[in-house]
Each structure stands twice: as C-alpha cells, then as structure tokens.
C-alpha cells in the first residue's frame, strides 16, 4: 500500500521502519529544518531493548509536504501541540480512500480531525510501546511494538504483517482511556525527572501516581466511560500489583519489558528542552471529564497546573519526589 508517515520522531521512525519492512511504499513527511540532518542518513533504524538485532531498512523518500493524493493511509505521528499545523497542511479536504490514522496519546485527536474534516473517518490508533529518538531517523523501543487500531478494515489491520509490529483491533475508546490512565505517570516523571521505573519503585512517586490514578478511575466510573488497562486486568488487581509487586505492574502496563533499563516518557524531554507538553490531553482530559461529571479532581488539576507553570522554563527545574508528594497531598 501507499503510506505517508507524518512526523519522523520516535513513533514515526518506528512505524515507518516496520511499514517499509512489511513491503509498503512509504513516504516520510518531515520539517524543512530537519531536511539536512535526515537527508544525509541512509537507513531507518530501530534498536530493541527487548532483544534481537536492530531493525534497519532503506530510508524511504522524504518530503516537506503532506500531499495525500495517491495515499492509502497516513499515520500522523506528531505531538498534540503540532496537530493543528499538520491539519492545516493537509489542504481543504482529505481524498476519499485515504485513511487518516492519528497516533497521539489520549482520546481527543480523532475528534479534532473529525471537526476539521467532517467527511473524514479517522482511525484512532493507540501506540502501545515506548520509543525514544537516539539520532535522526534512529529510534529505540523499550517494549514489544504493538499498535491498537479502532478499525475493522482488514487492509489496515494487516498493514504491519511480517514486520515484527503487532496490530490488534479494538472497539470503542476503552483501550485509549486505559492507556491514558497509565500516562498519568508522565506528568509525575516530568516534574521530578524520573523514569517509569522510578514511579513504581519510589514510595513518594508511587503515592503520587496512585492518587492520580484513583481519582481518574472515580471520574471514568462517574462518567460511565469504559476503560481497559493495557494489563487486561481489573483496576483493583492492578492497584494491588502496584503495591505488592511494582516491577510486575511495570511489565504488565506495557511501559517496559526489561527491569534493568529505565524508560522516560517524552514529557521529561519536553520539560528539559522547554517545549510545550501534552498535559492537556492526558491529566487535563481527566480534569475536563471530572468537571462534566461533577467529580473533583484536585490531584490531576494540581499536576496540570504545576506542569503548565514550568513549561518553557529554561533551565528546567525539577522537584524532589517528597516535595511533589507534599504538594499533591496539600491540593487533595
Ligand atoms: N514516544 C513514545 O513512546 C510514544 C508512545 C505512545 C504515544 N506517543 C504519542 O505519539 C505522538 C508522537 O510522539 P513522539 O514521541 O514520536 O514525538 P516526537 O519524537 O517529538 O516526534 C514528533 C515529530 O514530528 C515532527 N513534526 C512536528 N510537526 C511537524 C510538521 N508540521 N511536519 C512534519 N513534522 C512535524 C517533530 O519535529 P520537531 O521535533 O522539530 O517538532 C518530531 O520530529 C505523541 O502524541 C505521543 O503522545 C508516543
């Protein structure tokens, strides 16, 4: 199939590498500023901490445009703050026959696309792996790469066949909300410069995480929003695992497959580099849904406020875990 991958960061590089490996005609849309550094690279490369040699494929053609004519599927792999500029760049309409597949964390990207292009029917994707960019067009994944697609289209569901990336079909928003629950840890990592491993192994950080989680689950239940944790276990069982066997909880939550190396959410890098974060689409979604459902969300509101206050500050300032715990306890 003819595929466009828009955004060649961590997720875009991983998806493009697997799509090329699966034999598709891929084009990568990148920023003009990235042309010099990416043009000189000959291959796409994905390192896997789960074992096995790196995946390397020939670099597909790069372009700074986003023309979707003659494209069967377009994966949108930019962060939420850049989604608007991408939608602006797609032109007035989406050609019929082109499936738009937003890969952003959270639950709102497909809705934003539908508002912008009412005739389109975006296929929401939930990215179930953790990836970091090491070099231009060179990424590292710390989990087995899996993608959840809200589609029954057999062509889309089989796009990655033979590539090593698993695709599963999901119905409804349950899986996206479940992933969002785990991504509530991102703000905690970003405020304290911590890894996912730190969040489950440090008592102060774990208390912050479980307070944010418990609050979010109360909101989802009140709003009757179904959620399904990546660990495919009921929330009380996951909470017990977090308390009693945190490294198992980490493995079960699709953050990580190996206990030895530590993965950071990209919100940590956003803070270090003074970039806008996706806080509104993560903890902010819980706050919004809480307002609609009449449930107070002091913990997640405080996390949103603390991230917003620090976004863009250079050099970035981080809190000690105990300071964050105190601050959330005072808010709650
Ligand atoms: N990384 C993960 O482990 C992971 C896991 C699950 C979900 N996600 C979600 O996936 C999305 C992408 O995350 P990521 O980690 O891949 O981010 P990323 O590494 O920052 O990659 C995004 C890339 O898109 C580029 N870009 C932005 N606007 C563009 C435009 N108009 N045209 C062309 N390229 C553009 C960015 O360039 P600049 O750097 O110059 O802005 C960057 O190279 C996020 O919503 C994130 O929540 C990520």
């Amino acid at each position: 199939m003819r595929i466009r991958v828009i955004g060649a960061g961590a997720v875009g590089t991983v998806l493009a590498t697997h799509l090329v490996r699966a034999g598709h005609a891929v084009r990568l849309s990148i920023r003009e500023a990235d042309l010099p550094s990416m043009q000189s690279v000959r291959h796409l490369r994905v390192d896997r901490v789960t074992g096995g040699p790196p995946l390397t494929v020939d670099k597909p053609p790069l372009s700074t445009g986003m023309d979707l004519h003659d494209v069967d599927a377009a994966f949108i792999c930019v962060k939420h703050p850049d989604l608007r500029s991408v939608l602006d760049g797609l032109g007035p309409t989406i050609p019929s026959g082109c499936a738009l597949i937003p890969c952003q964390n959270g639950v709102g990207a497909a809705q934003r696309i539908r508002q912008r292009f009412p005739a389109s029917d975006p296929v929401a994707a939930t990215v179930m792996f953790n990836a970091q960019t090491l070099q231009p067009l060179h990424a590292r994944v710390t989990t087995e790469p899996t993608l959840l697609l809200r589609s029954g289209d057999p062509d889309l569901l089989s796009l990655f066949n033979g590539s090593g990336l698993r695709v599963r079909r999901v119905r409804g928003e349950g899986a996206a909300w479940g992933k969002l629950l785990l991504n509530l840890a991102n703000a905690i990592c970003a405020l304290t410069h911590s890894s996912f491993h730190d969040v489950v192994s440090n008592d102060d950080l774990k208390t912050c995480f479980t307070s944010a989680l418990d609050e979010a689950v109360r909101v989802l239940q009140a709003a009757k929003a179904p959620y399904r944790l990546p660990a495919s276990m009921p929330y009380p069982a996951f909470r017990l695992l977090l308390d009693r066997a945190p490294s198992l909880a980490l493995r079960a939550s699709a953050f990580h497959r190996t206990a030895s190396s530590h993965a950071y959410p990209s919100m940590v890098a956003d803070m270090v580099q003074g970039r806008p974060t996706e806080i509104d689409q993560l903890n902010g979604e819980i706050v919004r849904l809480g307002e609609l459902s009449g449930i107070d969300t002091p913990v997640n509101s405080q996390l949103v406020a603390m991230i917003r206050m620090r976004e863009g500050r250079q050099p970035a300032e981080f809190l000690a875990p105990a300071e964050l715990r105190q601050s959330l306890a005072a808010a709650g």
Side-chain angles (χ1 to χ4, degrees):
M1 285 172 78
R2 297 156 304 178
I3 317 280
R4 189 172 276 281
V5 175
I6 301 172
V11 169
T13 298
V14 173
L15 294 187
T17 301
H18 287 85
L19 287 162
V20 171
R21 200 159 183 245
H24 299 293
V26 177
R27 296 184 81 83
L28 258 178
S29 293
I30 63 168
R31 286 193 196 273
E32 195 149 358
D34 289 327
L35 255 182
S37 66
M38 293 187 179
Q39 248 167 355
S40 59
V41 175
R42 293 176 56 189
H43 298 103
L44 302 184
R45 174 173 163 168
V46 177
D47 294 354
R48 300 177 285 184
V49 303
T50 45
L55 294 182
T56 307
V57 297
D58 287 342
K59 181 180 70 181
L62 305 177
S63 82
T64 54
M66 299 178 202
D67 185 8
L68 296 184
H69 290 96
D70 300 327
V71 169
D72 300 307
F75 287 84
I76 305 180
C77 304
V78 302
K79 290 190 166 168
H80 277 281
D82 292 316
L83 188 55
R84 181 190 222 161
S85 72
V86 167
L87 299 184
D88 287 346
L90 292 180
T93 54
I94 305 301
S96 64
C98 174
L100 282 186
I101 308 177
C103 297
Q104 287 67 34
N105 269 329
V107 292
Q111 199 183 343
R112 281 178 69 188
I113 293 176
R114 243 177 255 118
Q115 278 165 355
R116 180 62 180 270
F117 301 108
S120 73
D121 186 17
V123 173
T126 302
V127 173
M128 300 301 293
F129 51 84
N130 179 262
Q132 289 138 29
T133 301
L134 301 179
Q135 301 282 336
L137 305 180
H138 176 187
R140 174 174 66 181
V141 282
T142 58
T143 40
E144 302 287 356
T146 302
L147 198 63
L148 308 183
L149 284 185
R150 272 181 72 185
S151 168
D153 182 336
D155 288 338
L156 294 183
L157 292 170
S158 60
L159 264 182
F160 290 87
N161 281 3
S163 75
L165 186 147
R166 213 154 60 99
V167 173
R168 284 199 290 125
R169 176 185 182 180
V170 291
R171 293 177 171 83
E173 287 188 325
W177 278 117
K179 175 84 191 311
L180 185 146
L181 285 177
L182 300 179
N183 285 131
L184 298 177
N186 296 12
I188 292 162
C189 295
L191 287 166
T192 56
H193 203 292
S194 303
S195 65
F196 291 121
H197 185 268
D198 298 329
V199 168
V200 298
S201 56
N202 174 293
D203 278 345
D204 289 318
L205 296 180
K206 196 162 73 175
T207 302
C208 296
F209 185 35
T210 52
S211 314
L213 271 176
D214 290 347
E215 183 180 281
V217 167
R218 278 197 298 278
V219 167
L220 292 177
Q221 286 169 344
K224 299 200 179 352
Y227 63 93
R228 199 169 53 259
L229 288 168
S232 290
M233 61 175 84
Y235 182 64
F238 181 69
R239 272 292 263 113
L240 201 66
L241 208 58
L242 263 181
D243 279 338
R244 307 266 169 87
S247 58
L248 272 183
L250 193 66
R251 285 178 71 107
S253 57
F255 280 147
H256 225 291
R257 279 284 296 222
T258 55
S260 56
S261 58
H262 291 209
Y264 289 81
S266 63
M267 202 184 285
V268 174
D270 292 338
M271 296 300 272
V272 170
Q273 290 161 20
R275 294 189 305 220
T277 70
E278 296 187 315
I279 190 71
D280 282 343
Q281 288 76 29
L282 298 177
N283 308 68
E285 285 286 1
I286 297 297
V287 174
R288 260 191 299 281
L289 198 58
E291 279 164 9
L292 289 174
S293 319
I295 303 286
D296 282 344
T297 55
V299 175
N300 284 288
S301 298
Q302 177 73 352
L303 286 167
V304 171
M306 291 174 89
I307 292 280
R308 284 221 190 103
M309 203 169 75
R310 288 168 174 76
E311 263 176 347
R313 255 195 217 168
Q314 291 285 281
E317 290 164 18
F318 297 101
L319 298 168
E323 285 178 292
L324 180 60
R325 180 179 179 169
Q326 266 174 12
S327 168
L328 295 187

